[in-house]
Amino acid sequence: MRILSYPKYFYCLAALAGSLVCSGGLFAQGGNLHERSEVYEAPVDPQVKAKLENWGNQKFGMLIHWGVYAVPGIIESWQICSEPWLERPEGMAYNDYKKWYWNLSSVFNPVNFDPDSWADAAAGAGMKYVVFTTKHHDGFNMFDTQQTDYKITNGPFKNHPKANVAKYVFESFRKKDFMIGAYFSKPDWHNQDFWWDKYATPDRNVNYDIRKYPEKWKAYQDFTFNQISELMHDYGQIDILWLDGGWVRPKETVNDEVRAWGAPIPEWDQEVNMPHIAEMAREAQPGIIFADRTVHGPYENYQTPERKIPDTKLDNPWETCMTLGNNWGYVPNDDFKTSAKVIHSLVEVVAKGGNMLLGVGPQPDGLLPPDALPILAEIGDWLDANSTAIYNTHAIDTFQDGDTYFTANDNETFAITLIPEGSDAPKSVSWKGNLPKKGSVLKLVSSGKSLKYTVKDDKVTVAIPSEIRRAGTAALAFSFKK
């Protein structure tokens, strides 16, 4: 089946991808959002604990979804999954659609791939770690795996000097002193030991009863182990193994909470043998953090609420992953969030004790979307001026009062007041609780300028000079001693 035989699908699929993300009902129970499990088991390995603490101080990272889905600019992987919440264009049989989708690899040729420019943009945005998609659920590999030919190094890009994409992404971000995360999908819908052509593929799960065919599932476990082993041994230092596809999990971890999320759950176990994988990974990469999403237990070292911020402060490590646009991967004419919106979300996340991982999807030619670059730069400008109120801070019990959020380090407390988009700062800002120590100097973090303030009835009121009000900013951060 020739890819270019279906150009009419490119536009409608891209539009459909956007509608899938924008329509809240389609991401309700049974959609592709990963919920946050309520159970948390802290790691005991001292090296893991140390790396997890370091990761928690970084606060802000970039999540890069990139694969064959960038060619038509559609939702990543999910339209080859046949579940009720998904839609595809009319006029194409499901099996033909899957063949068309998988064959996108024959035209995926990102000749402008420049990972140094990605790392520059991320560093300029104030990001400190990266999570790169080595393989999504569709099974297309963005690294030179030896376990399958369905990979970026086996198509029109194979002769490019940076064809082994993941290797060069990791190298570019390491040069900027980023922590390195490898996203890896536990389900692989292209693999015959997961979706077997003998049977239909009604949902996201393995499509045969592994109790009847244990040898096939053992082959899939070995395939998964071998791919992760390649990433652990052949791609330099990896700090985070970010495992997506939480429905691929041990049967005993399926509790009422998991069932309430509404995703289809088979009668059999879908364990990929995480103890075996973890032993290998930590021997190759001592202290590596595992984010086995929603699978509560020893391999979910931090939790990953998707596209949402928890209602309150959480005491265990966590990370909100959200998109800069409406989509994880590249979709033409995506609607990007403003820099102020991202900054407001980041401030709230950090005040509640978490990190934020912002998704940016490169174009099929290998460049980041041009419209995203000035937004990232604006975020970076704010973070550069207000860095001490964000990085290396921790949450405190009184983390919010109205539009003001609080963080702290060992020496200072910070109050960060969000300014509504399109508005100048007011003549004064106020908050209750977290009062400056009597006689303490209160400073504007961005300039170090001391500001006049009063305290009355457990309420702080800070006078904002006119030159600051006119400057226009997403948020004002103040520092003081408690």
Side-chain angles (χ1 to χ4, degrees):
M1 181 177 295
R2 292 178 64 248
I3 269 301
L4 297 181
S5 298
Y6 298 95
K8 67 179 181 179
Y9 285 94
F10 282 29
Y11 175 78
C12 57
L13 286 172
L16 181 58
S19 69
L20 284 170
V21 174
C22 295
S23 176
L26 290 169
F27 273 158
Q29 301 291 352
N32 69 339
L33 283 185
H34 270 63
E35 302 288 344
R36 180 182 66 84
S37 52
E38 296 296 328
V39 180
Y40 179 72
E41 182 177 327
V44 296
D45 183 329
Q47 290 177 292
V48 177
K49 292 167 70 174
K51 182 159 286 194
L52 193 59
E53 182 178 1
N54 181 37
W55 165 86
N57 286 330
Q58 308 305 305
K59 304 304 181 188
F60 191 29
M62 177 181 278
L63 175 57
I64 303 174
H65 274 72
W66 197 40
V68 294
Y69 41 84
V71 176
I74 60 175
I75 188 172
E76 70 291 336
S77 298
W78 280 98
Q79 283 177 335
I80 57 172
C81 180
S82 190
E83 292 185 9
W85 64 279
L86 287 156
E87 294 290 343
R88 284 177 293 276
E90 300 291 336
M92 196 176 193
Y94 175 46
N95 284 336
D96 287 340
Y97 179 84
K98 287 192 292 185
K99 292 176 184 177
W100 169 82
Y101 179 96
W102 279 320
N103 200 35
L104 287 166
S105 61
S106 69
V107 294
F108 184 29
N109 190 20
V111 294
N112 294 321
F113 172 55
D114 181 11
D116 285 345
S117 70
W118 297 5
D120 287 342
M127 295 164 168
K128 303 295 184 181
Y129 66 103
V130 66
V131 177
F132 177 70
T133 303
T134 64
K135 181 181 73 171
H136 205 261
H137 315 326
D138 57 17
F140 185 73
N141 294 273
M142 297 299 289
F143 69 107
D144 190 29
T145 178
Q146 301 306 298
Q147 310 306 313
T148 175
D149 289 335
Y150 193 54
K151 56 186 179 179
I152 188 67
T153 52
N154 195 43
F157 197 58
K158 64 183 178 182
N159 294 321
H160 191 280
K162 295 183 178 179
N164 191 0
V165 164
K167 169 180 164 53
Y168 292 99
V169 170
F170 295 154
E171 285 185 359
S172 291
F173 279 85
R174 280 194 202 100
K175 287 187 292 187
K176 297 289 186 181
D177 294 324
F178 274 55
M179 294 184 77
I180 303 299
Y183 171 116
F184 183 88
S185 170
K186 292 186 294 183
D188 185 324
W189 295 333
H190 189 265
N191 188 298
Q192 285 290 303
D193 292 321
F194 196 90
W195 272 6
W196 188 8
D197 282 348
K198 179 177 179 178
Y199 297 112
T201 52
D203 57 40
R204 68 190 69 187
N205 296 295
V206 60
N207 73 329
Y208 60 90
D209 188 336
I210 67 176
R211 297 168 298 187
K212 296 180 180 179
Y213 302 99
E215 72 288 348
K216 282 192 75 64
W217 188 248
K218 178 59 168 61
Y220 187 72
Q221 289 179 323
D222 292 344
F223 169 79
T224 302
F225 178 91
N226 291 337
Q227 284 205 309
I228 295 177
S229 180
E230 290 172 335
L231 291 169
M232 296 297 101
H233 289 91
D234 302 337
Y235 289 81
Q237 180 173 320
I238 306 294
D239 301 293
I240 305 162
L241 180 60
W242 211 87
L243 296 170
D244 204 3
W247 59 93
V248 177
R249 64 192 299 140
K251 182 83 173 154
E252 64 266 21
T253 68
V254 178
N255 55 18
D256 288 343
E257 178 187 40
V258 174
R259 284 185 283 270
W261 296 339
I265 300 171
E267 292 300 315
W268 49 84
D269 189 272
Q270 292 189 96
E271 167 63 90
V272 292
N273 198 350
M274 275 302 299
H276 187 38
I277 290 170
E279 182 181 13
M280 172 273 295
R282 290 215 164 119
E283 182 176 347
Q285 303 281 347
I288 190 171
I289 300 167
F290 298 138
D292 192 5
R293 304 186 66 201
T294 76
V295 185
H296 46 268
Y299 312 116
E300 191 184 27
N301 298 150
Y302 66 80
Q303 297 171 314
T304 56
E306 185 170 342
R307 294 182 184 261
K308 65 180 67 172
I309 300 173
D311 292 334
T312 190
K313 178 174 78 76
L314 301 178
D315 293 328
N316 51 261
W318 62 278
E319 169 192 79
T320 281
C321 51
M322 60 175 57
T323 54
L324 179 60
N326 282 324
N327 304 275
W328 290 114
Y330 170 74
V331 169
N333 303 312
D334 204 355
D335 185 15
F336 291 118
K337 297 175 177 66
T338 63
S339 58
K341 173 65 176 174
V342 175
I343 291 165
H344 289 181
S345 295
L346 176 62
V347 168
E348 181 180 355
V349 165
V350 172
K352 292 178 177 178
N355 283 18
M356 191 168 87
L357 190 62
L358 187 67
V360 182
Q363 299 175 154
D365 66 351
L367 297 175
L368 294 180
D371 290 348
L373 299 179
I375 302 171
L376 295 174
E378 290 167 6
I379 297 167
D381 289 343
W382 187 89
L383 280 168
D384 186 54
N386 296 279
S387 59
T388 55
I390 298 295
Y391 306 118
N392 300 299
T393 62
H394 58 81
I396 57 180
D397 288 340
T398 304
F399 63 87
Q400 179 185 9
D401 180 53
D403 288 334
T404 298
Y405 290 87
F406 304 97
T407 63
N409 59 29
D410 292 339
N411 300 311
E412 295 176 297
T413 297
F414 303 95
I416 310 172
T417 300
L418 309 185
I419 307 302
E421 290 191 59
S423 301
D424 291 334
K427 293 182 179 180
S428 65
V429 298
S430 301
W431 64 82
K432 291 185 177 181
N434 292 317
L435 305 182
K437 184 179 179 180
K438 188 173 182 179
S440 172
V441 174
L442 186 148
K443 295 181 179 180
L444 186 69
V445 172
S446 61
S447 66
K449 180 181 177 63
S450 298
L451 301 178
K452 295 178 180 179
Y453 70 96
T454 59
V455 177
K456 183 178 180 180
D457 298 330
D458 195 38
K459 182 178 181 180
V460 183
T461 301
V462 183
I464 307 301
S466 59
E467 64 270 19
I468 298 172
R469 299 201 303 271
R470 289 194 300 268
T473 185
L476 295 174
F478 312 95
S479 65
F480 53 91
K481 304 282 189 181
K482 278 185 66 177

